[in-house]
C-alpha cells in the first residue's frame, strides 16, 4: 500500500469543486425522483426544480426549536452536511485517483456514514417529539440492517485490490484484470442493494408519509435548519450513488488530473448518475410498500449475497 501524501492545491481545488457541484445538483436529483414518481403514477406532480424552490422558501422562514431540544438538535444539520461533503470531496468521481485522499479511506467513509445516521437519529430523540422518537428508532434499526451489507461488500473489493484507499480501488477496477470476477459481481450486487436502501427508496422508506414515519427525526425542524437537512439528505443520495460508481463502474474517468480529462469525464459521470437514479426510481415505484417489521426479511437476502461474495473471494472465484 502506498504512503498517504498531502494532496496538491490542484487536487484540493478539484475536491472542493466536485463537492460544491454535488450540493448544487442534490435538489435536482431529488426533484428528478419526484418527477419520475409522478409520471409513473399518471399524475402531473411537481416540476424538476421544485426542490430548489422549497429550499429557498425554507431559508426565508423563521427557525423554531422545541423548548426541550438540546445541542444535538441544533448541530445536527451542520453535522449531516459536513460528513457528506467530506465523503463527496474524497470520491474519485471524474479521476481514477481520489482528489482528497485524507478522507478517501474506505473505513473513514463508513465511519462518516455512521456519524450521519447517528446524529440524524439522535436529533429526533433530542427534540422530545413522540413521532421523532419513532422515526429515530426506525432509522437506527435500518442502519443495523443495511450497514453490514455495505461494509462487507466494500471490504471484499478492498481486499481484492489490496488497499482500503478509494482511489486505488477505483484505479485497480478500471485498469487491472479482475482476479476474482465472481466475488466482484456478488459484491457489486450486494452494494447496489445497500445503496438502494441508503437512498431512501421504497419499500424501505414511506415516501408518501415521511413526516409521520421514516423521516420522523425531522418533525420538529423548520426554517434554515430544515432546508439544510433536506439538502444533506439529497446530497447523501448523490454521494452513495457515486460511491457505488467509483468502486464498481469506474470507467470513463480521467487517468490523471487535467482540465481536458476532467471536462470529458464530467458528462460521462452525469450520464451514469442519470441511469442510477432512473433505475432506482423505476424499481421504487414498481414495488409495494411493506411493513417495517418485515424489512429484515429483505435485508437478509442482501447480506447473504455479500457473504457469498466474500466466500468467493476467499476461495478465489
Amino acid at each position: 500500500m502506498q504512503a498517504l501524501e498531502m494532496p496538491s492545491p490542484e487536487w484540493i481545488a478539484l475536491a472542493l469543486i466536485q463537492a460544491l457541484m454535488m450540493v448544487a445538483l442534490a435538489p435536482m436529483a431529488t426533484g428528478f425522483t419526484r418527477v419520475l414518481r409522478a409520471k409513473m403514477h399518471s399524475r402531473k406532480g411537481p416540476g424538476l426544480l421544485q426542490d430548489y424552490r422549497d429550499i429557498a422558501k425554507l431559508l426565508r422562514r423563521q427557525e423554531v426549536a422545541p423548548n426541550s431540544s438540546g445541542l444535538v438538535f441544533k448541530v445536527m444539520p451542520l453535522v449531516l452536511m459536513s460528513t457528506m461533503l467530506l465523503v463527496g470531496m474524497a470520491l474519485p468521481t471524474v479521476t481514477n485517483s481520489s482528489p482528497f485522499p485524507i478522507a478517501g479511506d474506505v473505513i473513514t467513509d463508513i465511519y462518516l456514514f455512521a456519524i450521519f445516521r447517528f446524529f440524524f437519529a439522535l436529533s429526533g430523540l433530542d427534540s422530545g417529539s413522540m413521532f421523532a422518537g419513532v422515526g429515530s428508532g426506525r432509522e437506527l434499526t435500518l442502519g443495523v440492517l443495511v450497514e453490514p451489507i455495505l461494509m462487507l461488500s466494500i471490504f471484499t473489493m478492498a481486499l481484492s485490490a489490496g488497499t482500503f484507499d478509494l482511489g486505488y480501488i477505483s484505479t485497480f477496477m478500471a485498469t487491472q484484470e479482475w482476479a476474482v470476477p465472481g466475488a466482484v459481481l456478488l459484491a457489486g450486487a450486494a452494494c447496489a442493494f445497500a445503496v438502494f436502501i441508503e437512498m431512501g427508496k421504497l419499500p424501505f422508506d414511506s415516501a408518501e408519509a415521511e413526516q409521520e414515519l421514516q423521516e420522523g427525526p425531522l418533525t420538529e425542524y423548520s426554517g434554515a435548519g430544515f432546508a439544510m437537512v433536506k439538502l444533506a439528505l439529497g446530497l447523501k443520495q448523490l454521494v452513495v450513488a457515486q460511491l457505488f460508481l467509483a468502486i464498481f463502474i469506474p470507467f470513463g474517468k480521467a487517468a490523471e488530473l487535467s482540465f481536458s480529462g476532467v471536462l470529458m469525464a464530467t458528462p460521462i459521470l452525469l450520464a451514469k448518475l442519470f441511469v442510477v437514479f432512473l433505475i432506482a426510481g423505476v424499481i421504487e415505484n414498481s414495488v409495494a410498500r411493506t411493513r417495517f417489521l418485515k424489512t429484515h426479511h429483505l435485508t437478509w437476502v442482501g447480506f447473504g449475497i455479500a457473504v457469498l461474495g466474500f466466500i468467493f473471494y476467499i476461495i478465489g472465484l
Side-chain angles (χ1 to χ4, degrees):
M1 184 181 296
Q2 300 185 28
L4 182 64
E5 298 180 359
M6 187 67 184
S8 65
E10 292 81 7
W11 283 106
I12 294 177
L14 175 61
L16 291 172
I17 290 172
Q18 75 176 26
L20 293 176
M21 287 297 295
M22 290 182 200
V23 174
L25 291 175
M28 182 174 293
T30 54
F32 172 75
T33 301
R34 296 175 67 181
V35 170
L36 182 61
R37 181 185 301 130
K39 297 301 182 183
M40 293 188 67
H41 291 178
S42 300
R43 53 185 174 86
K44 185 176 181 181
L48 183 63
L49 304 180
Q50 182 60 46
D51 283 4
Y52 289 102
R53 292 188 284 268
D54 291 343
I55 291 174
K57 180 175 64 176
L58 287 170
L59 290 173
R60 295 193 299 267
R61 290 187 173 180
Q62 180 183 5
E63 190 170 355
V64 180
N67 293 329
S68 59
S69 63
L71 180 62
V72 174
F73 183 87
K74 295 179 177 62
V75 302
M76 186 270 273
L78 294 175
V79 172
L80 263 58
M81 283 296 298
S82 59
T83 52
M84 287 302 101
L85 283 173
L86 274 175
V87 180
M89 289 174 63
L91 289 176
T93 56
V94 292
T95 57
N96 284 334
S97 300
S98 172
F100 196 64
I102 297 174
D105 186 83
V106 168
I107 299 176
T108 302
D109 292 337
I110 289 175
Y111 270 112
L112 289 172
F113 282 121
I115 291 172
F116 182 101
R117 173 168 277 116
F118 175 75
F119 273 85
F120 182 68
L122 192 61
S123 65
L125 299 174
D126 193 42
S127 68
S129 168
M130 181 181 65
F131 281 135
V134 172
S136 296
R138 294 190 174 202
E139 181 66 23
L140 291 174
T141 302
L142 197 60
V144 171
L145 295 173
V146 69
E147 285 179 0
I149 304 173
L150 184 65
M151 291 172 58
L152 187 56
S153 59
I154 294 179
F155 281 175
T156 300
M157 298 308 303
L159 293 173
S160 301
T163 176
F164 284 91
D165 185 275
L166 276 174
Y168 296 147
I169 296 174
S170 182
T171 302
F172 173 83
M173 289 293 294
T175 60
Q176 303 295 323
E177 183 179 357
W178 298 355
V180 282
V184 170
L185 293 176
L186 288 172
C191 187
F193 180 77
V195 165
F196 181 82
I197 300 175
E198 291 286 9
M199 291 174 71
K201 303 298 184 182
L202 287 173
F204 305 98
D205 187 16
S206 301
E208 304 300 331
E210 291 175 344
Q211 293 306 307
E212 292 80 7
L213 296 176
Q214 187 68 21
E215 294 190 7
L218 306 184
T219 301
E220 300 295 337
Y221 279 92
S222 61
F226 190 30
M228 188 176 295
V229 173
K230 290 184 72 68
L231 188 59
L233 291 173
L235 179 60
K236 183 184 178 183
Q237 294 189 30
L238 274 179
V239 167
V240 295
Q242 290 182 88
L243 175 65
F244 172 78
L245 292 174
I247 296 177
F248 294 98
I249 314 179
F251 310 107
K253 299 191 294 184
E256 57 184 21
L257 181 59
S258 65
F259 180 77
S260 59
V262 171
L263 196 62
M264 293 178 61
T266 300
I268 298 176
L269 170 65
L270 295 177
K272 290 192 290 186
L273 284 174
F274 173 79
V275 172
V276 168
F277 275 85
L278 179 63
I279 293 175
V282 170
I283 295 175
E284 175 188 23
N285 293 283
S286 302
V287 297
R289 186 177 299 172
T290 185
R291 292 183 62 191
F292 188 81
L293 294 177
K294 295 184 178 181
T295 302
H296 65 281
H297 294 302
L298 298 174
T299 55
W300 271 115
V301 175
F303 185 70
I305 295 174
V307 171
L308 190 60
F310 184 70
I311 294 174
F312 270 41
Y313 165 76
I314 292 176
I315 63 179
L317 293 180

